[in-house]
Amino acid sequence: VTFAETILATCGHPLQARSLGVLQVNVGKRCNQRCAHCHVDAGPERTEVMPDAVIDDVLALLDRAPSIHTVDITGGAPELHPRFRWLVDESVARGRHVIDRCNLTILATAPYADLAAFLADRGVEVIASLPQSRAAQTDRQRGEGVFARSIEGLRRLNAVGYGGGDPRRRLVLVSNPVGAFLPAAQASLEREWKAELAARHGVSFDALICLTNMPVGRYRDWLVASGNHDRYVARLVSQFNPSTVPALMCRDQISVAWNGSVYDCDFHQMAEVEPDAGPLNVRDVDPARFAERTIAMATHCYGCTAGAGSSCGGALA
Amino acid sequence: LRANGDAGDEKLTPRAFVTRSERSGRGLRVATRARAMSHQEAPYYCAGDLPAFASVSDGAPDLGTKFFAWYSAVFADGALSAREKSLIALAVAHAVQCPYCIDAYSHDALEKGADVEQMTEALHVAAAIKGGSALVHGVQMRRHAAKVGM
């Protein structure tokens, strides 16, 4: 059963957008890490970087779409983009809430020693990846020594006020499964992680969100190579939860690729699933029409509707 | 079960066992054993039985319904988290050596947010209790030996 058929059976019509509230900007595929599960296939060797002209187009979209309340900057490691700070400043100057999807280790590298303070000064929300609260599984997925450097990144964020309950210094951790299984219930895991990370490492955070790994990019390659692909996809399909559909993130967002192409979400971007109405560049987006579009669907969409659901903001149901 | 097996299948598949035995003329004992086993179509433990667990309700639906409702309630978040309960289940699964439960709760513990480090420690708890329960009976052995010995 295709996802489109499942949605039709559940809703009685194709999946429709609701608003244009979140502008997710993928500024490129360069990253200081090379995680085993990365759906972007990012890494130090990647050369795709959003050109200045596309950043200008992104800001122009902000100017003509007042409904966009949040600019969600991702990558790669978005902070590696030479105009990352400029994009943050310009978005903040336009009164938008800004999210930095941060891998934590970048904060612990010498050239970015002042990054935590930069983010804090502008009230940027940091959503940071940490798949597990202990080293072994984290390092298996993200690379040797990443857990220890991530803890150092968390310390730097805590030192400038992140993770202490201040809404202008909000620090959210993202956990995703290290393997071919669904994520845990985020509320109970959050309580456990807060106690464990405070006791063992003296660090704090505001919230934990749990994301399902989408069968896209490097994670899909691993699923196939390890013989887990079919069983994992079958699990996603069998765990379809109709109560997640109204909250699906694609209904309220737009995802812009490094080259200016627009998609319904970052996963569609990486899987090259174009919008239902065909290819679209960010400079050509009509906010009113885009907010009423039919959303393109693919098999990996089952990842967002399985169990408690999943989105860039965590569980949905 | 495969109808025709290689040498490796001989121990596992009665039909292949008969065919190869008769062909090789290894005698009546083997053929008789094969006939005695011929009513068996599945091994004692079969992975396909796990997803069919609910079918045990068919013979006694009221009891089955009560059992599965109670089972679900047992594993819900309570004074213990669902993750802690899953780790207990995983440890007990190893103690009672139930392959169905081991498969089910290895996956369940991961999906409840446990990692292999925690899961392995849980099994050591089960192993410690099993080992300890054997060893503590040594006190009885020593008492008996003291009684009858010089």
Side-chain angles (χ1 to χ4, degrees), chain A residues 64-146:
Chain A
R64 66 178 186 276
S67 64
I68 295 174
H69 51 74
T70 298
V71 179
D72 184 344
I73 308 174
T74 188
E79 305 88 348
L80 290 176
H81 192 287
R83 290 182 77 191
F84 168 78
R85 296 187 189 205
W86 186 81
L87 176 60
V88 170
D89 279 335
E90 289 297 313
S91 301
V92 169
R94 287 166 169 78
R96 278 21 187 256
H97 177 63
V98 176
I99 293 172
D100 173 26
R101 292 199 179 262
C102 178
N103 66 17
L104 290 176
T105 62
I106 193 75
L107 294 154
T109 59
Y112 297 90
D114 63 337
L115 179 61
F118 169 85
L119 298 169
D121 287 347
R122 288 147 184 85
V124 174
E125 179 178 359
V126 176
I127 299 186
S129 303
L130 193 70
Q132 263 289 352
S133 59
R134 280 182 299 283
Q137 301 290 90
T138 298
D139 287 359
R140 181 176 296 179
Q141 182 181 85
R142 300 179 72 78
E144 195 64 34
V146 165

Side-chain angles (χ1 to χ4, degrees), chain B residues 85-98:
Chain B
K85 290 178 180 183
S86 187
L87 287 168
I88 292 169
L90 181 68
V92 173
H94 283 77
V96 300
Q97 295 173 319
C98 170

Side-chain angles (χ1 to χ4, degrees), chain B residues 130-142:
Chain B
K130 289 208 82 168
S133 74
L135 277 177
V136 73
H137 286 78
V139 177
Q140 184 178 343
M141 173 273 286
R142 288 174 61 80

Side-chain angles (χ1 to χ4, degrees), chain B residues 79-145:
Chain B
L80 293 174
S81 70
R83 180 168 35 266
E84 289 165 329
K85 290 178 180 183
S86 187
L87 287 168
I88 292 169
L90 181 68
V92 173
H94 283 77
V96 300
Q97 295 173 319
C98 170
Y100 305 116
C101 309
I102 291 170
D103 267 2
Y105 284 94
S106 295
H107 204 84
D108 186 72
L110 289 167
E111 291 201 336
K112 292 289 192 304
D115 65 11
V116 173
E117 197 179 341
Q118 293 170 317
M119 292 159 68
T120 308
E121 286 188 15
L123 327 187
H124 276 278
V125 173
I129 294 297
K130 289 208 82 168
S133 74
L135 277 177
V136 73
H137 286 78
V139 177
Q140 184 178 343
M141 173 273 286
R142 288 174 61 80
R143 189 164 53 237
H144 183 83

Side-chain angles (χ1 to χ4, degrees), chain A residues 24-29 50-51 54 58 255-263 266 269-270 282:
Chain A
Q24 190 167 71
V25 187
N26 192 314
V27 294
K29 300 188 180 187
M50 184 174 276
V54 176
V58 166
S255 168
V256 182
W258 67 275
N259 60 4
S261 297
V262 166
Y263 296 88
D266 202 53
Q269 186 184 134
M270 300 314 152
V282 63

